[in-house]
Amino acid sequence: MDARKVIAVQNASDTLVKRLVRRRKRVEVKYELEDEAGTSPASQEQEATAIAESNGGSGSGGGGDGDSIWEPPLWKQVLENLQTMRAARDAPVDSMGAEQCMDQGAEPKVYRFQVLISLMLSSQTKDQVTHAAMTKLRQHGLTPDSLLATPDATLGELIYPVGFWKKKVVYIKKTCEILKRDYEGDIPPTVKEMCQLPGVGPKMAHLCMDIGWGKLTGIGVDTHVHRISNRLGWTRRPTKTPEETRLALEAWMPKELWSDTNLLMVGFGQQVCVPVGPKCGECLNKALCPFGRNALLASPKKGSPRKSQKRKGQE
Ligand code: SF4
C-alpha cells in the first residue's frame, strides 16, 4: 500500500473514531459475556459495523461486489504482529486444545475418530475441560465400538462437565452409529458429509479435514476468529456469523495461511484479544487495529475502557 492510501485509511479511521467517541458518550454499551469463547452477538455486531465503516463497507457479508482484489490494509504487518505475540504458543489451546487430545499412537482411523470427538466436545467448552474429558474417554476406550457399548449415563459421566454434555451424549452416540453404518467406522471424507453428522458444523468439518485427513478445505472459524477478524477489520463488511467470516477471510487470505489461522487467533483471543476487555494497551496491533484505536482513544489512560468496567463489576 502506498503512502497516500495509508493516509487515506488513517483519515477515515480518525473520522470514525471521533464519531464513535461521541456515540460512546450518549450510549453506554453493555457487553454481555455469552460464554468463555465469545462476546454476545449484539456486541459483536456493533463492533463489526464500526470496523466495516472504517473499511468503506456496509451491510453484512464478506468478499466484494465483483472486486476480488480487496484485502485489509496492512494485513501483513498485522499478521506479523499476531505471530510475534503468539510466538510462545503458551495459550490454553496450545497444550489442551482439540488438536492436542488424540492418542498419537492410534491407528489412522481411530485417530481421525478421536479428532472428531474432541472437536465435538470442544464446542462451548474450555480447553481444560475438553482435555480432561478426552483423557477420561481415551482411558475408557475411544472408538465407535467402545462408545456404542457404553451406556448413555456412563458416557455422560465421562464427558461431564463439557458444555451441553447431555446433548453431546446423544450426538456422539448417533454419530458412532452413522460412522459404523456408512463409513466402516471412519469419519466422512468430505466437508459436506461431515456437516450431516449431528452437532457438526463447518468449523468442525474444516478442522477435521485438516487435522484428521490432512486436507485443507477451509479456515476453521470459531467465535474467537470471528470476533478478532471483525475487530481487526479483516472482513470487508461486518459479518454476523462465523460462517460469514470464514467466507470473508477466504476471499482474500492466501491459502497457505489458512491452516494456522484458527490456532493463531484462538490463542490470541484467550490471552490478549479476549471477548470482554481486550488488552489493547499491550497489543502490538493497537495502532493498526480499528477497534483498538477506538478503544484507546475513548479511554486513553486505562488502555481498555471495558477493563475498568469489568474490574468494577468484580468488586
Ligand atoms: S488492538 Fe485490541 S481489539 Fe485490536 S487486535 Fe489488539 S487486543 Fe484485539
Side-chain angles (χ1 to χ4, degrees):
M1 175 179 291
D2 62 32
R4 280 175 302 174
K5 283 185 180 172
V6 172
I7 292 168
V9 169
Q10 185 70 53
N11 288 342
S13 175
D14 289 347
T15 303
L16 171 66
V17 167
K18 287 172 188 166
R19 213 183 310 151
L20 284 174
V21 169
R22 285 198 298 273
R23 189 187 307 168
R24 185 178 287 276
K25 287 178 182 173
R26 292 197 305 270
V27 181
E28 182 180 357
V29 178
K30 293 184 179 176
Y31 288 85
E32 172 191 344
L33 184 61
E34 181 189 41
D35 57 41
E36 70 92 22
T39 52
S40 69
S43 63
Q44 285 188 349
E45 197 173 328
Q46 284 168 330
E47 288 177 14
T49 301
I51 303 309
E53 284 178 28
S54 75
N55 280 341
S58 62
S60 74
D65 301 326
D67 181 1
S68 60
I69 59 169
W70 181 87
E71 59 183 24
L74 302 173
W75 69 267
K76 287 181 183 170
Q77 180 63 54
V78 172
L79 176 65
E80 203 176 303
N81 289 339
L82 285 175
Q83 289 165 338
T84 299
M85 288 186 279
R86 288 282 287 126
R89 297 278 165 162
D90 54 359
V93 69
D94 297 308
S95 56
M96 292 175 286
E99 290 184 47
Q100 310 300 326
C101 295
M102 288 75 74
D103 176 3
Q104 300 297 327
E107 63 169 295
K109 194 156 88 171
V110 173
Y111 180 85
R112 286 191 286 272
F113 175 70
Q114 294 184 357
V115 171
L116 174 62
I117 297 299
S118 86
L119 285 167
M120 289 175 81
L121 295 180
S122 70
S123 166
Q124 303 287 317
T125 305
K126 288 185 177 178
D127 289 327
Q128 297 89 325
V129 175
T130 301
H131 193 270
M134 281 295 289
T135 302
K136 283 191 278 182
L137 283 174
R138 279 169 47 195
Q139 287 167 351
H140 172 80
L142 188 44
T143 65
D145 284 327
S146 64
L147 294 192
L148 283 172
T150 304
D152 287 4
T154 306
L155 184 53
E157 286 169 13
L158 287 167
I159 70 171
Y160 181 84
V162 300
F164 302 100
W165 61 273
K166 285 182 187 169
K167 195 177 270 185
K168 286 178 183 175
V169 166
V170 177
Y171 287 167
I172 288 171
K173 281 293 189 76
K174 279 186 184 166
T175 293
C176 289
E177 284 170 14
I178 295 168
L179 300 188
K180 287 275 290 176
R181 188 190 66 211
D182 298 341
Y183 300 96
E184 298 177 345
D186 209 335
I187 66 172
T190 66
V191 169
K192 187 178 175 187
E193 290 168 279
M194 203 92 71
C195 287
Q196 286 166 359
L197 297 174
V200 175
K203 180 204 82 171
M204 281 186 221
H206 288 297
L207 288 175
C208 251
M209 292 301 294
D210 191 9
I211 305 165
W213 288 108
K215 293 180 190 168
L216 189 55
T217 52
I219 300 171
V221 176
D222 69 348
T223 52
H224 286 293
V225 180
H226 175 56
R227 176 183 72 255
I228 296 166
S229 297
N230 276 284
R231 284 177 174 173
L232 285 173
W234 273 18
T235 60
R236 184 175 186 179
R237 294 173 178 147
T239 55
K240 293 178 180 171
T241 65
E243 185 59 3
E244 278 184 29
T245 300
R246 180 180 71 79
L247 295 171
L249 289 175
E250 290 174 2
W252 65 266
M253 186 182 284
K255 201 166 182 180
E256 62 265 25
L257 298 175
W258 289 10
S259 185
D260 191 45
T261 295
N262 179 271
L263 199 55
L264 183 77
M265 285 204 191
V266 171
F268 183 60
Q270 290 176 335
Q271 294 181 310
V272 182
C273 196
V274 292
V276 178
K279 301 168 185 173
C280 302
E282 60 190 68
C283 178
L284 294 181
N285 282 323
K286 62 188 173 190
L288 300 171
C289 168
F291 181 91
R293 286 200 302 265
N294 299 342
L296 292 171
L297 192 65
S299 184
K301 290 180 183 172
K302 297 185 178 70
S304 171
R306 282 172 265 159
K307 195 171 183 178
S308 60
Q309 288 173 4
K310 191 181 177 190
R311 279 200 188 122
K312 279 179 191 169
Q314 288 171 340
E315 286 167 1

